[in-house]
Amino acid sequence: MNNEQLVAKDLNYVWHPFTQMGVYRESKPIIIKKGRGSYLYDTNGNKYLDGYASLWVNVHGHNNKQLNRALQRQLKQIAHSTLLGSSNIPSIELAEQLVDITPQSLQKVFYSDTGSAAVEIAIKMAYQYWKNLDAIQYAKKRKFLTLHNGYHGDTLGAVSVGGIDTFHQIFEDLIFENIQITSPSLYQSTYETEETMTKAILEEIEAILQQQADEIVGFVIEPLIQGATGLFVHPHGFLKAVEQLCKQYNVLLICDEVAVGFGRTGTMFACEHEQVEPDIMCLGKAITGGYLPLAATLTSQRIYDAFLSDAHGVNTFFHGHTYTGNQLVCAVALESLKLYKQNHVIQHVQKTSKILHNHLHKLANHPHVGDIRGRGLMYGVELVADKATRQPLSIEKVESIIAECKACGLMIRNLEHVITFVPILTMSKKEIKKMVRIFTKALTTILD
Ligand SMILES: Cc1ncc(COP(=O)(O)O)c(C=O)c1O
């Protein structure tokens, strides 16, 4: 099939995620044919630098020989058998390694296949944990503390603990009620300094906990960076303070590291920046190096123990997905972890992060650049129509910039008027510079 035929069939048959198909229909869809290293290639022979790591998942580059071989090796053994009532070799080995590399509080691994599922599982586990401990004493614990503009996925539980107003409006009748806290994001706030903002928000949290801790199951948080809603970076120390409050008021800390985990912020897990030990941690996205869908919910021994019983059906966690712990997926994740060590991926990210930071900050005085924020290899540039009022740049202009980047060989995405730079973690220094260069030129072409 040539490009035109594929486009016609795409429009005829495929319903794309998070996409207004009426608009997509009028666009010229790019159809990806292959990937090599940091580049994607389309069916017209165009080559694009993958500046969004194929939705924040790719770590070692596309078509990595070592990951390919791991997949082929596993295929020769078996593709899939179930974890219900039996186990398998890669899922056991991977669980051991995940426990080894995550914060010490986490001792058990529950597999699933998407970040949303990992969060859904965390919510159900946390809720049931209190019921298993003492259904009468903790009868009122049924709400979660969440952050405004938080994003934890698209299943109904994950939407419930998210903080996106539009989603809450659309699915209002189907989701459950939670307690939403102000997001600690200075640029979006009216506070003058991070110190005053942090103090005020922590006081807000403590006041709620003082009054309602007996109704609160846990605090669900994206550690350090609220990614999918605009890359809102939290002040240093905020996560640690939340951890302390959770401990003090007997509320579980649930860290959603689906986006920030596996090196994205410059440490293997974002919690490490502040030596935070969550009760539950959700992992997904980059867990397989960006190859296959896998997610995991890790929990403390204390939580696991609350589900133990000698009798079937007593305190059991009634949750499971058909492909839980699939061998192919786990074998690739294991090989990916090997590559992290072999290629010193975290150290590489720490170096390239400085380059991304420095090159993006050269744009600080641009009249349409309102804010530049991020950590590691996860940056956002907020584009504004007016620097003083912070009024967002029009979506048409933002989309023109994205289209211009594509025309010049860079694939990046915007979150409303925030342009995101979330490249493949092993991208070279040269490629990082190239990414910012193409974006800078697109800014000039469209806005000057
Ligand atoms: C923090 C966070 N949690 C959960 C999810 C949902 O993951 P998935 O799209 O794999 O369901 C995402 C996706 O972007 C995310 O960023």
Side-chain angles (χ1 to χ4, degrees), residues 105-144:
S105 53
L106 304 164
Q107 294 295 317
K108 299 285 180 256
V109 178
F110 194 100
Y111 290 114
S112 58
D113 41 22
T114 67
S116 306
V119 172
E120 205 73 32
I121 289 161
I123 294 169
K124 289 174 71 177
M125 241 176 210
Y127 173 84
Q128 193 183 334
Y129 163 72
W130 295 110
K131 304 293 169 232
N132 284 2
L133 277 191
D134 191 330
I136 295 166
Q137 186 181 349
Y138 298 116
K140 286 197 335 201
K141 275 198 186 280
R142 59 176 64 152
K143 287 183 188 160
F144 290 81

Side-chain angles (χ1 to χ4, degrees), residues 169-222:
Q169 277 150 24
I170 300 173
F171 300 109
E172 193 184 356
D173 293 340
L174 303 180
I175 59 179
F176 58 87
E177 196 194 331
N178 288 302
I179 304 167
Q180 209 176 88
I181 308 293
T182 312
S183 166
S185 168
L186 189 63
Y187 191 73
Q188 270 63 38
S189 80
T190 50
Y191 292 99
E192 291 284 316
T193 66
E194 278 200 339
E195 289 70 33
T196 48
M197 176 190 70
T198 308
K199 188 168 174 290
I201 296 176
L202 289 173
E203 280 170 5
E204 177 189 342
I205 297 171
E206 179 143 28
I208 292 168
L209 286 169
Q210 267 168 1
Q211 287 177 8
Q212 290 173 264
D214 60 338
E215 294 173 31
I216 299 169
V217 174
F219 196 143
V220 186
I221 186 169
E222 292 163 82

Side-chain angles (χ1 to χ4, degrees), residues 28-144:
K28 287 193 193 117
I30 289 173
I31 298 176
I32 300 300
K33 187 173 177 188
K34 63 179 185 183
R36 295 274 185 282
S38 300
Y39 288 91
L40 296 164
Y41 297 78
D42 72 12
T43 41
N44 280 326
N46 298 311
K47 174 179 170 184
Y48 309 91
L49 196 55
D50 188 352
Y52 64 151
S54 292
L55 219 49
W56 308 4
V57 297
N58 199 292
V59 177
H60 312 289
H62 295 283
N63 220 328
N64 180 284
K65 286 198 175 62
Q66 214 165 307
L67 294 182
N68 292 356
R69 277 199 297 269
L71 189 55
Q72 282 154 1
R73 259 198 320 272
Q74 181 56 45
L75 260 177
K76 287 188 188 144
Q77 297 299 322
I78 185 172
H80 178 73
S81 66
T82 178
L83 280 202
L84 262 84
S86 61
S87 199
N88 72 60
I89 301 166
S91 73
I92 297 169
E93 289 177 356
L94 179 62
E96 183 184 25
Q97 291 205 21
L98 289 175
V99 166
D100 207 37
I101 60 173
T102 49
Q104 234 199 324
S105 53
L106 304 164
Q107 294 295 317
K108 299 285 180 256
V109 178
F110 194 100
Y111 290 114
S112 58
D113 41 22
T114 67
S116 306
V119 172
E120 205 73 32
I121 289 161
I123 294 169
K124 289 174 71 177
M125 241 176 210
Y127 173 84
Q128 193 183 334
Y129 163 72
W130 295 110
K131 304 293 169 232
N132 284 2
L133 277 191
D134 191 330
I136 295 166
Q137 186 181 349
Y138 298 116
K140 286 197 335 201
K141 275 198 186 280
R142 59 176 64 152
K143 287 183 188 160
F144 290 81

Side-chain angles (χ1 to χ4, degrees), residues 56 113-117 119 151-154 222 228 256-259 285:
W56 308 4
D113 41 22
T114 67
S116 306
V119 172
Y151 179 74
H152 301 285
D154 303 326
E222 292 163 82
D256 176 357
E257 293 238 12
V258 168
K285 284 200 186 280

Side-chain angles (χ1 to χ4, degrees), residues 80 84 92 94 131 143 175 187 207-208 212 223 231-232 281 286 334 343 354 363 383 397 414 427:
H80 178 73
L84 262 84
I92 297 169
L94 179 62
K131 304 293 169 232
K143 287 183 188 160
I175 59 179
Y187 191 73
I208 292 168
Q212 290 173 264
L231 294 180
F232 303 122
M281 185 190 263
L334 275 167
N343 298 337
K354 288 195 187 115
L363 293 167
L383 296 178
K397 285 202 174 131
N414 61 300
M427 233 183 221

